[in-house]
Amino acid sequence: MPVPSPSAKPLADLLPEPLRRLGAWCVLLLLVAGVAGVAIWLCVELKTAVTPILLAVLGTALLRPLYSLLVGRGHVQRSLAAGITCAAVVAAVGGAGYIVTSAIVDNGQQILDSIRSAFEDAASWVGAKNTSLDDITHNARQLLDKFGGTAATGVINGLSVVGSFVATAVLALLLMFFFLRDAGRALRGLRELSPGDSSDLVEAMARRAYQAVAGFMHGTTIIALIDATFITVGLLVLGVPGALGLGALVFLGAYIPYLGAFISGAVAILVALADRGFVIALWVLGVVLAVQVLEGHLLQPIVQSRTVQMHPAVVMVTITAGASLAGILGMLLAVPLTAAAFGIFRELRQRYGDGGGASAGEAGAKGTGAGDTP
């Protein structure tokens, strides 16, 4: 058996230092991508159970200050404070839903009549004056009679989706109640489940992820409220029907960065075009653009200056990936989950990268108190 000479070197030592570092980083990225891929696959397969948990975490991050205020300053019992906070969620979501629904019911016929008039004017302008909306309605009824069974199946599937949505919302509300009330117990349990001496690191990562999600939710809510207020006032001044409902839609759409604002603004412009004409629609477009400029150049830098900042390209890719995995719900959850991942990365970089090593106690207590973070 040949004996290696004393001058023989390991294969790794024969490679230049930059190539060895590149290889180490490639191995690390492959491992991280593999773990992340498995985690995403499990979440998609178990989305019925994972979705309420994620929604409850977002609700807890958003409403934790209200709960802390009730417990700290109001001296309310913890279970009662959590119940009041959950009731506030139901009232807020129910109020927004009522405003949107009432706006549709009150102004829906007016909007449809305006769209019909606009369609007839457009048909006359392009030389299709003899094509009336009644002919289209007749053809639509024939299609409905032909595919009635398919339509009935769609209605049944729609009812199933609504039932699943209601069940998910109720479960998320119950989980949020327990997350608010037992946050300290959950943190202690996380430390006990951490292997070896990693409890401090796991706690610091959990705190940093929670702070990122909470910062995103609080900042987005403030910005959404300001955007919805300005756009609602503009629509009321311009006399656009359903201004309150459209404002509520703007508020809800703000939780999906960029894309939500585009969709809600487009709906407002289309409603104005159908009911008030081209000139008013241009004014509504100006109001929407002015609010977006105000948000991008003033509100975002001021309100979200202490939260995890992400490049718009990263946000758009994240939203696209979330939509491909879980539809609208994925679009809603993609950005806060990415913010949490960025927070964990910053914590690891601060400890083991060029940012220096902060102690576990400093990292755990940084930016928040024990009573404010789960």
Side-chain angles (χ1 to χ4, degrees):
M1 183 176 182
V3 179
S5 62
S7 60
K9 294 182 180 181
L11 180 60
D13 293 341
L14 299 177
L15 298 175
E17 181 66 21
L19 287 181
R20 283 188 289 171
R21 290 187 177 184
L22 178 62
W25 274 107
C26 290
V27 172
L28 178 61
L29 290 176
L30 286 175
L31 290 175
V32 172
V35 173
V38 172
I40 293 174
W41 177 79
L42 287 175
C43 290
V44 172
E45 292 296 321
L46 302 175
K47 60 182 179 181
T48 304
V50 173
T51 300
I53 297 175
L54 295 178
L55 292 176
V57 170
L58 295 182
T60 302
L62 177 61
L63 296 173
R64 182 75 185 180
L66 175 60
Y67 171 81
S68 300
L69 181 65
L70 292 174
V71 173
R73 295 187 180 182
H75 303 289
V76 180
Q77 198 267 343
R78 300 176 69 89
S79 297
L80 180 59
I84 294 174
T85 305
C86 293
V89 173
V90 174
V93 175
Y98 173 77
I99 291 174
V100 174
T101 304
S102 62
I104 294 175
V105 172
D106 295 340
N107 302 282
Q109 188 60 45
Q110 181 181 1
I111 294 174
L112 289 177
D113 293 340
S114 300
I115 294 176
R116 176 174 178 170
S117 176
F119 176 83
E120 292 176 349
D121 293 341
S124 176
W125 183 72
V126 299
K129 190 172 183 180
N130 294 329
T131 302
S132 66
L133 210 61
D134 295 333
D135 297 334
I136 297 176
T137 304
H138 178 69
N139 295 332
R141 288 176 179 174
Q142 290 181 342
L143 290 175
L144 183 61
D145 294 337
K146 184 177 180 180
F147 299 102
T150 304
T153 303
V155 170
I156 294 175
N157 292 335
L159 293 177
S160 176
V161 170
V162 171
S164 176
F165 174 78
V166 172
T168 300
V170 171
L171 182 56
L173 192 65
L174 294 176
L175 289 174
M176 190 178 70
F177 172 84
F178 292 113
F179 288 170
L180 288 170
R181 191 189 66 176
D182 302 326
R185 187 183 304 174
L187 187 59
R188 290 192 297 269
L190 184 63
R191 290 183 61 91
E192 293 175 358
L193 294 175
S194 302
D197 298 330
S198 62
S199 58
D200 291 337
L201 174 60
V202 172
E203 178 183 351
M205 292 169 58
R207 288 182 180 274
R208 186 64 73 97
Y210 174 82
Q211 291 168 13
V213 174
F216 170 80
M217 293 299 294
H218 295 158
T220 302
T221 301
I222 294 173
I223 293 173
L225 184 61
I226 296 175
D227 288 354
T229 301
F230 285 159
I231 290 180
T232 301
V233 171
L235 295 177
L236 288 174
V237 171
L238 294 173
V240 177
L244 294 179
L246 293 173
L249 183 63
V250 170
F251 178 82
L252 297 177
Y255 287 95
I256 303 177
Y258 303 109
L259 187 59
F262 172 79
I263 294 175
S264 59
V267 171
I269 294 170
L270 289 176
V271 171
L273 178 63
D275 187 82
R276 300 300 309 278
F278 183 74
V279 176
I280 298 298
L282 286 179
W283 278 102
V284 173
L285 175 62
V287 171
V288 172
L289 291 179
V291 170
Q292 295 304 315
V293 170
L294 176 66
E295 174 187 336
H297 292 81
L298 182 63
L299 297 180
Q300 288 280 0
I302 293 178
V303 176
Q304 293 188 340
S305 59
R306 296 185 179 182
T307 62
V308 176
Q309 297 294 322
M310 291 181 289
H311 193 275
V314 176
V315 175
M316 294 303 298
V317 171
T318 301
I319 293 175
T320 304
S324 63
L325 290 174
I328 297 178
L329 190 62
M331 297 168 62
L332 175 64
L333 297 175
V335 178
L337 290 180
T338 305
F342 270 67
I344 294 174
F345 174 77
R346 290 179 60 189
E347 178 64 30
L348 293 175
R349 185 174 178 224
Q350 182 178 355
R351 285 173 171 262
Y352 304 111
D354 297 334
S359 63
E362 292 174 353
K366 183 179 179 181
T368 183
D372 293 332
T373 306

